[in-house]
Amino acid sequence: MFKIAIIIFRECLEIALLIGVILASTRQIKDSRIYVIAGSMIGAVLAALFAFFVRAITQSYGTYGDEIFDSCVIIITSIIISWTVVWMQGYTQKIKNNLGKLSERITAGNASKTLLIAIVASTILREGAEIILLIYGVSSSALPASEYIIGVFAGGITGFTVGVIIYTGLIRLSGKYIFRITTTLLIFIAAALASEAAGILTSSGVIEYYNESLWDTSWLVDNNTIFGKLLHITTGYDSKPNGMQIIFYFSSIIFTLTMIKIRTTLSNKRHA
Amino acid sequence: MKSRYLIFLVIFAISIIKIAVADDVIKVDLYIKDHKFVPDIVELPTEKKIFLIVHNDDPTIEEFESSDLKREKIVLGNSTVNIALAPLSPGEYRFFGDFHQETAQGKIIVKKKE
Protein backbone atom coordinates (compact mmCIF):
# COMPACT_ATOMS: atom_id res chain seq x y z
CA MET A 1 0.00 0.00 0.00
CA PHE A 2 2.76 2.38 1.03
CA LYS A 3 4.64 1.53 -2.15
CA ILE A 4 1.68 2.28 -4.40
CA ALA A 5 1.19 5.58 -2.58
CA ILE A 6 4.80 6.58 -3.25
CA ILE A 7 4.62 5.63 -6.91
CA ILE A 8 1.36 7.53 -7.44
CA PHE A 9 2.80 10.51 -5.57
CA ARG A 10 5.86 10.58 -7.81
CA GLU A 11 3.67 10.49 -10.90
CA CYS A 12 1.46 13.30 -9.55
CA LEU A 13 4.41 15.53 -8.69
CA GLU A 14 4.97 16.88 -12.19
CA ILE A 15 1.28 17.59 -12.77
CA ALA A 16 0.98 19.28 -9.36
CA LEU A 17 4.02 21.43 -9.96
CA LEU A 18 3.12 22.67 -13.41
CA ILE A 19 -0.55 23.26 -12.69
CA GLY A 20 0.30 24.98 -9.40
CA VAL A 21 2.58 27.41 -11.22
CA ILE A 22 0.07 27.95 -14.04
CA LEU A 23 -2.79 28.63 -11.60
CA ALA A 24 -0.66 31.07 -9.62
CA SER A 25 0.44 32.98 -12.68
CA THR A 26 -3.02 33.26 -14.25
CA ARG A 27 -4.85 34.25 -11.11
CA GLN A 28 -5.65 37.68 -12.51
CA ILE A 29 -7.24 36.35 -15.66
CA LYS A 30 -11.00 36.16 -15.82
CA ASP A 31 -12.36 32.62 -15.78
CA SER A 32 -8.85 31.14 -15.96
CA ARG A 33 -9.98 28.45 -13.50
CA ILE A 34 -12.62 27.25 -15.95
CA TYR A 35 -10.01 26.83 -18.68
CA VAL A 36 -7.71 24.94 -16.36
CA ILE A 37 -10.56 22.62 -15.39
CA ALA A 38 -11.50 22.17 -19.06
CA GLY A 39 -7.87 21.39 -19.83
CA SER A 40 -7.72 18.84 -17.01
CA MET A 41 -10.82 17.11 -18.28
CA ILE A 42 -9.60 16.97 -21.88
CA GLY A 43 -6.23 15.75 -20.63
CA ALA A 44 -7.83 13.04 -18.52
CA VAL A 45 -9.96 11.79 -21.42
CA LEU A 46 -6.94 11.79 -23.76
CA ALA A 47 -4.89 9.98 -21.13
CA ALA A 48 -7.57 7.31 -20.76
CA LEU A 49 -7.76 6.89 -24.54
CA PHE A 50 -3.98 6.74 -24.75
CA ALA A 51 -3.81 4.18 -21.95
CA PHE A 52 -6.39 2.05 -23.73
CA PHE A 53 -4.46 2.40 -26.99
CA VAL A 54 -1.26 1.23 -25.32
CA ARG A 55 -3.11 -1.70 -23.82
CA ALA A 56 -4.54 -2.65 -27.19
CA ILE A 57 -1.13 -2.85 -28.84
CA THR A 58 0.79 -4.76 -26.22
CA GLN A 59 3.59 -5.37 -28.64
CA SER A 60 5.03 -2.23 -30.13
CA TYR A 61 6.23 -2.65 -33.65
CA GLY A 62 8.81 -0.81 -35.66
CA THR A 63 12.00 0.68 -34.38
CA TYR A 64 11.62 4.36 -33.81
CA GLY A 65 7.85 4.98 -33.85
CA ASP A 66 7.41 5.19 -30.08
CA GLU A 67 10.51 7.27 -29.53
CA ILE A 68 9.53 9.81 -32.19
CA PHE A 69 5.98 9.99 -30.83
CA ASP A 70 7.14 10.42 -27.23
CA SER A 71 9.64 13.11 -28.05
CA CYS A 72 7.12 14.93 -30.26
CA VAL A 73 4.60 15.08 -27.38
CA ILE A 74 7.34 16.36 -25.07
CA ILE A 75 8.59 18.98 -27.54
CA ILE A 76 5.04 20.20 -28.21
CA THR A 77 4.47 20.57 -24.45
CA SER A 78 7.74 22.48 -24.19
CA ILE A 79 6.71 24.82 -27.01
CA ILE A 80 3.26 25.38 -25.48
CA ILE A 81 4.88 26.30 -22.15
CA SER A 82 7.30 28.73 -23.84
CA TRP A 83 4.43 30.22 -25.77
CA THR A 84 2.43 30.68 -22.55
CA VAL A 85 5.40 32.45 -20.97
CA VAL A 86 5.65 34.81 -23.94
CA TRP A 87 1.92 35.48 -23.84
CA MET A 88 2.04 36.09 -20.08
CA GLN A 89 4.50 38.94 -20.67
CA GLY A 90 1.86 40.58 -22.81
CA TYR A 91 -0.63 40.54 -20.04
CA THR A 92 1.74 41.75 -17.32
CA GLN A 93 2.02 44.77 -19.60
CA LYS A 94 -1.75 45.00 -19.61
CA ILE A 95 -1.82 44.91 -15.83
CA LYS A 96 0.78 47.66 -15.63
CA ASN A 97 -1.18 49.77 -18.09
CA ASN A 98 -4.39 49.29 -16.12
CA LEU A 99 -2.85 49.89 -12.73
CA GLY A 100 -5.74 52.09 -11.64
CA LYS A 101 -8.34 49.39 -12.14
CA LEU A 102 -6.34 46.44 -10.93
CA SER A 103 -9.32 45.02 -9.12
CA GLU A 104 -10.87 44.38 -12.50
CA ARG A 105 -9.90 41.07 -13.91
CA ILE A 106 -8.30 40.91 -17.28
CA THR A 107 -10.15 39.17 -20.04
CA ALA A 108 -7.99 36.87 -22.08
CA GLY A 109 -8.22 36.51 -25.85
CA ASN A 110 -9.41 33.32 -27.48
CA ALA A 111 -5.91 32.26 -28.45
CA SER A 112 -4.67 32.43 -24.90
CA LYS A 113 -7.69 30.49 -23.62
CA THR A 114 -6.82 27.68 -26.01
CA LEU A 115 -3.21 27.93 -24.87
CA LEU A 116 -4.21 27.56 -21.24
CA ILE A 117 -6.37 24.52 -22.01
CA ALA A 118 -3.60 22.98 -24.14
CA ILE A 119 -0.87 23.38 -21.54
CA VAL A 120 -2.94 21.67 -18.83
CA ALA A 121 -4.25 18.97 -21.16
CA SER A 122 -0.82 18.03 -22.49
CA THR A 123 0.65 17.82 -18.98
CA ILE A 124 -2.13 15.56 -17.77
CA LEU A 125 -1.98 13.46 -20.94
CA ARG A 126 1.70 12.71 -20.46
CA GLU A 127 1.60 11.81 -16.80
CA GLY A 128 -2.03 10.71 -16.51
CA ALA A 129 -1.75 7.84 -18.99
CA GLU A 130 0.96 6.36 -16.83
CA ILE A 131 -1.14 6.69 -13.68
CA ILE A 132 -4.13 5.05 -15.35
CA LEU A 133 -2.01 2.16 -16.64
CA LEU A 134 -0.45 1.77 -13.24
CA ILE A 135 -3.78 1.65 -11.45
CA TYR A 136 -5.07 -0.78 -14.03
CA GLY A 137 -1.97 -2.94 -13.72
CA VAL A 138 -2.09 -2.99 -9.95
CA SER A 139 -5.79 -3.73 -9.89
CA SER A 140 -5.26 -6.83 -12.00
CA SER A 141 -2.59 -8.13 -9.63
CA ALA A 142 -3.07 -10.28 -6.55
CA LEU A 143 -3.05 -7.40 -4.08
CA PRO A 144 -6.20 -6.96 -1.96
CA ALA A 145 -8.43 -4.24 -3.39
CA SER A 146 -8.66 -2.16 -0.23
CA GLU A 147 -4.89 -1.82 -0.02
CA TYR A 148 -4.39 -0.41 -3.46
CA ILE A 149 -7.40 1.89 -3.23
CA ILE A 150 -5.98 3.39 -0.02
CA GLY A 151 -2.54 3.58 -1.66
CA VAL A 152 -3.85 5.34 -4.74
CA PHE A 153 -5.81 7.83 -2.67
CA ALA A 154 -2.97 8.49 -0.23
CA GLY A 155 -0.56 9.11 -3.13
CA GLY A 156 -3.06 11.23 -5.04
CA ILE A 157 -3.94 13.37 -2.03
CA THR A 158 -0.28 13.94 -1.14
CA GLY A 159 0.40 14.96 -4.75
CA PHE A 160 -2.57 17.31 -4.71
CA THR A 161 -1.40 18.82 -1.40
CA VAL A 162 2.01 19.54 -2.90
CA GLY A 163 0.24 21.35 -5.74
CA VAL A 164 -1.76 23.45 -3.26
CA ILE A 165 1.41 24.24 -1.29
CA ILE A 166 3.20 25.35 -4.44
CA TYR A 167 0.23 27.50 -5.46
CA THR A 168 -0.32 29.21 -2.10
CA GLY A 169 3.42 29.46 -1.50
CA LEU A 170 3.92 31.26 -4.80
CA ILE A 171 1.07 33.67 -4.15
CA ARG A 172 1.93 34.42 -0.53
CA LEU A 173 5.68 34.66 -0.79
CA SER A 174 6.35 36.10 -4.18
CA GLY A 175 3.88 39.00 -4.00
CA LYS A 176 4.62 41.47 -6.77
CA TYR A 177 7.45 39.34 -8.09
CA ILE A 178 5.03 36.57 -8.89
CA PHE A 179 5.32 37.03 -12.67
CA ARG A 180 9.08 37.13 -12.59
CA ILE A 181 9.23 33.97 -10.48
CA THR A 182 6.61 31.97 -12.37
CA THR A 183 8.09 33.07 -15.70
CA THR A 184 11.55 31.91 -14.67
CA LEU A 185 10.17 28.61 -13.40
CA LEU A 186 8.22 27.98 -16.61
CA ILE A 187 11.20 28.84 -18.83
CA PHE A 188 13.26 26.25 -16.98
CA ILE A 189 10.46 23.66 -17.10
CA ALA A 190 10.18 24.14 -20.88
CA ALA A 191 13.96 23.81 -21.27
CA ALA A 192 13.91 20.69 -19.10
CA LEU A 193 11.35 19.10 -21.39
CA ALA A 194 13.35 20.04 -24.49
CA SER A 195 16.40 18.38 -22.97
CA GLU A 196 14.37 15.28 -22.08
CA ALA A 197 13.21 14.98 -25.69
CA ALA A 198 16.81 15.35 -26.87
CA GLY A 199 17.78 12.57 -24.47
CA ILE A 200 15.24 10.17 -25.98
CA LEU A 201 16.18 11.09 -29.55
CA THR A 202 19.92 10.61 -29.01
CA SER A 203 19.59 7.49 -26.87
CA SER A 204 17.42 5.72 -29.44
CA GLY A 205 19.69 6.77 -32.30
CA VAL A 206 17.19 8.98 -34.15
CA ILE A 207 19.80 11.72 -33.73
CA GLU A 208 23.34 10.41 -33.85
CA TYR A 209 25.30 13.55 -33.06
CA TYR A 210 26.64 14.78 -29.73
CA ASN A 211 25.29 11.77 -27.86
CA GLU A 212 28.27 11.35 -25.54
CA SER A 213 27.75 12.10 -21.86
CA LEU A 214 29.71 15.22 -20.98
CA TRP A 215 29.96 14.83 -17.23
CA ASP A 216 28.64 12.76 -14.34
CA THR A 217 27.28 14.34 -11.18
CA SER A 218 25.30 11.31 -9.97
CA TRP A 219 27.58 11.22 -6.90
CA LEU A 220 26.13 14.60 -5.93
CA VAL A 221 22.44 14.26 -6.83
CA ASP A 222 21.17 11.03 -8.31
CA ASN A 223 18.37 11.35 -10.85
CA ASN A 224 16.43 8.63 -9.16
CA THR A 225 15.96 10.24 -5.75
CA ILE A 226 12.87 12.37 -5.04
CA PHE A 227 15.11 15.45 -4.83
CA GLY A 228 16.76 14.52 -8.12
CA LYS A 229 13.35 14.07 -9.69
CA LEU A 230 12.18 17.48 -8.46
CA LEU A 231 15.35 19.11 -9.77
CA HIS A 232 14.83 17.26 -13.03
CA ILE A 233 11.30 18.61 -13.50
CA THR A 234 12.02 22.18 -12.41
CA THR A 235 15.47 22.78 -13.86
CA GLY A 236 16.06 19.86 -16.20
CA TYR A 237 18.80 18.44 -13.99
CA ASP A 238 20.39 15.33 -15.49
CA SER A 239 23.39 13.73 -13.81
CA LYS A 240 24.87 12.61 -17.15
CA PRO A 241 23.76 15.03 -19.85
CA ASN A 242 24.96 14.74 -23.43
CA GLY A 243 25.81 17.51 -25.88
CA MET A 244 22.51 17.38 -27.74
CA GLN A 245 20.56 17.76 -24.49
CA ILE A 246 22.54 20.86 -23.63
CA ILE A 247 21.98 22.29 -27.11
CA PHE A 248 18.21 21.67 -26.82
CA TYR A 249 18.16 23.07 -23.28
CA PHE A 250 19.81 26.36 -24.08
CA SER A 251 18.07 26.74 -27.44
CA SER A 252 14.76 26.55 -25.61
CA ILE A 253 15.81 29.21 -23.08
CA ILE A 254 17.28 31.52 -25.73
CA PHE A 255 14.25 31.08 -27.96
CA THR A 256 11.81 31.95 -25.16
CA LEU A 257 13.85 34.95 -24.00
CA THR A 258 14.10 36.28 -27.57
CA MET A 259 10.36 35.94 -28.08
CA ILE A 260 9.71 37.74 -24.78
CA LYS A 261 12.04 40.53 -25.86
CA ILE A 262 10.27 40.88 -29.21
CA ARG A 263 6.86 40.82 -27.56
CA THR A 264 7.67 43.46 -24.96
CA THR A 265 9.32 45.80 -27.47
CA LEU A 266 6.30 45.48 -29.74
CA SER A 267 3.78 46.19 -26.99
CA ASN A 268 5.92 49.06 -25.64
CA LYS A 269 5.90 50.62 -29.09
CA ARG A 270 2.14 50.24 -29.25
CA HIS A 271 1.65 52.03 -25.96
CA ALA A 272 4.31 54.69 -26.50
CA MET B 1 6.93 17.18 -62.63
CA LYS B 2 8.99 18.46 -59.74
CA SER B 3 6.82 16.73 -57.15
CA ARG B 4 7.40 13.37 -58.88
CA TYR B 5 11.16 13.74 -58.45
CA LEU B 6 10.57 14.66 -54.86
CA ILE B 7 8.57 11.49 -54.24
CA PHE B 8 11.34 9.37 -55.76
CA LEU B 9 13.87 11.15 -53.63
CA VAL B 10 11.85 10.53 -50.48
CA ILE B 11 11.41 6.82 -51.29
CA PHE B 12 15.12 6.56 -52.02
CA ALA B 13 15.96 8.27 -48.72
CA ILE B 14 13.62 5.99 -46.77
CA SER B 15 15.13 2.87 -48.32
CA ILE B 16 18.62 4.04 -47.31
CA ILE B 17 17.42 4.63 -43.74
CA LYS B 18 15.83 1.17 -43.67
CA ILE B 19 19.11 -0.44 -44.77
CA ALA B 20 21.00 1.53 -42.17
CA VAL B 21 18.61 0.31 -39.49
CA ALA B 22 18.87 -3.34 -40.51
CA ASP B 23 22.64 -3.19 -40.44
CA ASP B 24 24.69 -4.11 -37.38
CA VAL B 25 21.97 -4.48 -34.77
CA ILE B 26 22.32 -6.67 -31.71
CA LYS B 27 19.08 -8.02 -30.33
CA VAL B 28 18.95 -8.64 -26.60
CA ASP B 29 16.11 -10.40 -24.82
CA LEU B 30 15.48 -9.23 -21.28
CA TYR B 31 12.91 -10.93 -19.08
CA ILE B 32 11.13 -9.62 -16.01
CA LYS B 33 10.24 -12.44 -13.64
CA ASP B 34 9.08 -12.01 -10.00
CA HIS B 35 10.03 -8.32 -10.27
CA LYS B 36 13.62 -9.15 -11.22
CA PHE B 37 15.49 -8.79 -14.49
CA VAL B 38 16.82 -11.93 -16.13
CA PRO B 39 19.64 -11.50 -16.99
CA ASP B 40 20.41 -8.62 -14.68
CA ILE B 41 23.81 -7.97 -16.20
CA VAL B 42 24.05 -7.63 -19.97
CA GLU B 43 27.45 -7.36 -21.64
CA LEU B 44 27.54 -5.65 -25.00
CA PRO B 45 30.17 -4.49 -27.47
CA THR B 46 30.65 -0.87 -28.55
CA GLU B 47 29.81 0.51 -31.98
CA LYS B 48 26.71 -1.61 -32.43
CA LYS B 49 23.11 -0.56 -32.36
CA ILE B 50 21.14 -2.41 -29.73
CA PHE B 51 17.61 -3.61 -29.77
CA LEU B 52 16.41 -4.42 -26.25
CA ILE B 53 13.35 -6.63 -26.18
CA VAL B 54 11.87 -6.46 -22.70
CA HIS B 55 9.48 -9.31 -21.89
CA ASN B 56 7.39 -8.88 -18.77
CA ASP B 57 6.48 -12.37 -17.60
CA ASP B 58 4.86 -11.04 -14.42
CA PRO B 59 1.13 -10.31 -14.40
CA THR B 60 1.88 -6.86 -12.94
CA ILE B 61 2.76 -3.67 -14.78
CA GLU B 62 6.35 -2.49 -14.83
CA GLU B 63 8.24 0.48 -16.19
CA PHE B 64 11.63 -0.08 -17.70
CA GLU B 65 13.58 3.00 -16.69
CA SER B 66 17.14 4.15 -16.92
CA SER B 67 18.45 7.63 -16.37
CA ASP B 68 21.82 6.49 -17.76
CA LEU B 69 20.10 5.52 -21.00
CA LYS B 70 17.64 8.44 -20.67
CA ARG B 71 14.66 6.22 -21.30
CA GLU B 72 11.50 5.05 -19.62
CA LYS B 73 8.88 2.78 -21.05
CA ILE B 74 5.80 1.10 -19.62
CA VAL B 75 5.68 -2.69 -19.95
CA LEU B 76 2.24 -4.11 -19.18
CA GLY B 77 1.85 -7.44 -17.45
CA ASN B 78 2.58 -10.45 -19.71
CA SER B 79 3.67 -8.33 -22.62
CA THR B 80 6.70 -7.10 -24.51
CA VAL B 81 8.19 -3.77 -25.53
CA ASN B 82 11.10 -2.92 -27.78
CA ILE B 83 13.71 -0.34 -26.94
CA ALA B 84 16.08 0.80 -29.66
CA LEU B 85 19.44 2.11 -28.49
CA ALA B 86 22.14 3.94 -30.40
CA PRO B 87 25.68 2.51 -30.12
CA LEU B 88 26.92 3.01 -26.55
CA SER B 89 30.35 4.09 -25.44
CA PRO B 90 32.23 1.87 -22.96
CA GLY B 91 30.87 2.00 -19.43
CA GLU B 92 28.10 0.85 -17.15
CA TYR B 93 24.48 1.75 -17.69
CA ARG B 94 22.11 1.04 -14.85
CA PHE B 95 18.45 0.28 -15.49
CA PHE B 96 15.59 -0.62 -13.19
CA GLY B 97 11.90 -1.37 -12.95
CA ASP B 98 10.38 1.85 -11.70
CA PHE B 99 7.50 0.15 -9.91
CA HIS B 100 9.58 -2.48 -8.11
CA GLN B 101 12.89 -0.75 -7.57
CA GLU B 102 13.95 -2.76 -4.54
CA THR B 103 14.29 -5.93 -6.63
CA ALA B 104 14.15 -4.97 -10.30
CA GLN B 105 17.70 -3.71 -10.88
CA GLY B 106 20.13 -4.42 -13.66
CA LYS B 107 22.89 -2.99 -15.74
CA ILE B 108 24.38 -3.02 -19.19
CA ILE B 109 28.16 -3.23 -19.36
CA VAL B 110 29.62 -2.01 -22.61
CA LYS B 111 33.18 -3.10 -23.39
CA LYS B 112 35.42 -2.49 -26.35
CA LYS B 113 36.28 -5.64 -28.27
CA GLU B 114 39.99 -6.38 -28.39
Side-chain angles (χ1 to χ4, degrees):
Chain A
M1 180 209 93
F2 190 58
K3 210 173 76 186
I4 301 167
I6 287 184
I7 294 170
I8 296 278
F9 169 69
R10 274 204 320 240
E11 303 296 327
C12 287
L13 209 57
E14 190 164 340
I15 299 180
L17 195 104
L18 195 64
I19 293 183
V21 175
I22 291 287
L23 281 174
S25 59
T26 56
R27 206 161 57 108
Q28 292 283 342
I29 295 176
K30 202 172 172 234
D31 297 337
S32 65
R33 297 296 172 268
I34 294 172
Y35 303 122
V36 171
I37 292 168
S40 315
M41 276 153 65
I42 292 170
V45 170
L46 287 178
L49 282 176
F50 183 72
F52 179 74
F53 183 66
V54 169
R55 208 162 69 79
I57 41 157
T58 44
Q59 186 125 26
S60 60
Y61 298 99
T63 23
Y64 296 137
D66 288 2
E67 281 72 23
I68 293 173
F69 177 78
D70 285 350
S71 35
C72 279
V73 172
I74 296 172
I75 288 175
I76 288 169
T77 314
S78 166
I79 291 172
I80 294 171
I81 294 173
S82 305
W83 192 354
T84 308
V85 171
V86 174
W87 157 71
M88 265 166 48
Q89 304 312 305
Y91 96 84
T92 41
Q93 289 291 319
K94 266 192 199 166
I95 290 179
K96 276 180 198 156
N97 297 333
N98 296 331
L99 260 184
K101 33 183 179 169
L102 226 164
S103 57
E104 256 178 56
R105 292 185 129 198
I106 288 154
T107 38
N110 275 326
S112 40
K113 285 173 195 165
T114 321
L115 206 57
L116 209 58
I117 294 175
I119 198 171
V120 176
S122 65
T123 309
I124 293 194
L125 165 63
R126 281 187 320 115
E127 300 297 313
E130 211 160 291
I131 296 174
I132 292 171
L133 280 172
L134 179 71
I135 294 172
Y136 170 80
V138 174
S139 68
S140 62
S141 77
L143 225 71
S146 59
E147 272 203 19
Y148 83 73
I149 290 174
I150 296 169
V152 166
F153 272 99
I157 289 166
T158 332
F160 181 77
T161 315
V162 170
V164 172
I165 292 171
I166 290 165
Y167 172 74
T168 44
L170 274 175
I171 286 177
R172 288 270 166 77
L173 300 176
S174 45
K176 62 176 177 174
Y177 298 108
I178 190 151
F179 289 118
R180 199 158 288 177
I181 291 172
T182 49
T183 300
T184 317
L185 261 174
L186 288 173
I187 289 174
F188 279 127
I189 292 173
L193 288 169
S195 144
E196 193 181 329
I200 296 173
L201 290 172
T202 44
S203 146
S204 59
V206 176
I207 298 176
E208 291 190 23
Y209 305 99
Y210 305 116
N211 52 9
E212 297 274 323
S213 278
L214 294 182
W215 61 77
D216 182 356
T217 50
S218 56
W219 55 271
L220 186 67
V221 181
D222 194 89
N223 269 103
N224 202 35
T225 55
I226 286 275
F227 182 62
K229 205 135 194 156
L230 258 178
L231 265 186
H232 177 74
I233 304 167
T234 48
T235 63
Y237 174 77
D238 188 329
S239 55
K240 293 171 190 167
N242 64 36
M244 193 51 76
Q245 283 183 288
I246 290 172
I247 293 172
F248 269 56
Y249 188 81
F250 285 106
S251 304
S252 168
I253 293 179
I254 292 166
F255 173 76
T256 316
L257 290 179
T258 318
M259 293 303 286
I260 289 173
K261 188 88 197 149
I262 292 171
R263 171 114 202 202
T264 41
T265 10
L266 279 181
S267 68
N268 281 345
K269 256 186 202 160
R270 210 175 297 148
H271 294 291
Chain B
M1 222 30 214
K2 252 186 183 169
S3 64
R4 191 171 291 175
Y5 281 121
L6 206 69
I7 291 169
F8 275 125
L9 210 69
V10 168
I11 293 173
F12 180 65
I14 289 173
S15 61
I16 290 180
I17 293 171
K18 275 262 170 72
I19 292 164
V21 166
D23 189 41
D24 254 3
V25 177
I26 297 183
K27 288 195 175 179
V28 181
D29 286 292
L30 204 60
Y31 297 86
I32 301 171
K33 227 172 242 168
D34 300 324
H35 312 310
K36 278 180 198 142
F37 285 107
V38 185
D40 58 351
I41 296 174
V42 184
E43 287 200 26
L44 293 167
T46 51
E47 288 158 15
K48 296 255 186 194
K49 285 190 180 175
I50 300 149
F51 207 58
L52 271 181
I53 306 160
V54 184
H55 308 267
N56 186 359
D57 290 344
D58 287 336
T60 46
I61 189 170
E62 190 53 272
E63 186 178 40
F64 176 91
E65 184 166 344
S66 167
S67 53
D68 292 350
L69 298 168
K70 303 173 200 318
R71 300 292 276 281
E72 47 180 78
K73 208 167 209 172
I74 290 269
V75 202
L76 293 168
N78 296 315
S79 65
T80 305
V81 295
N82 301 334
I83 295 161
L85 294 173
L88 297 165
S89 40
E92 283 190 12
Y93 300 84
R94 281 185 304 152
F95 58 83
F96 55 89
D98 197 20
F99 300 149
H100 302 93
Q101 289 187 32
E102 59 290 339
T103 50
Q105 295 278 349
K107 61 186 170 189
I108 293 174
I109 299 174
V110 179
K111 278 183 190 158
K112 230 177 199 156
K113 257 189 187 164
E114 279 103 48

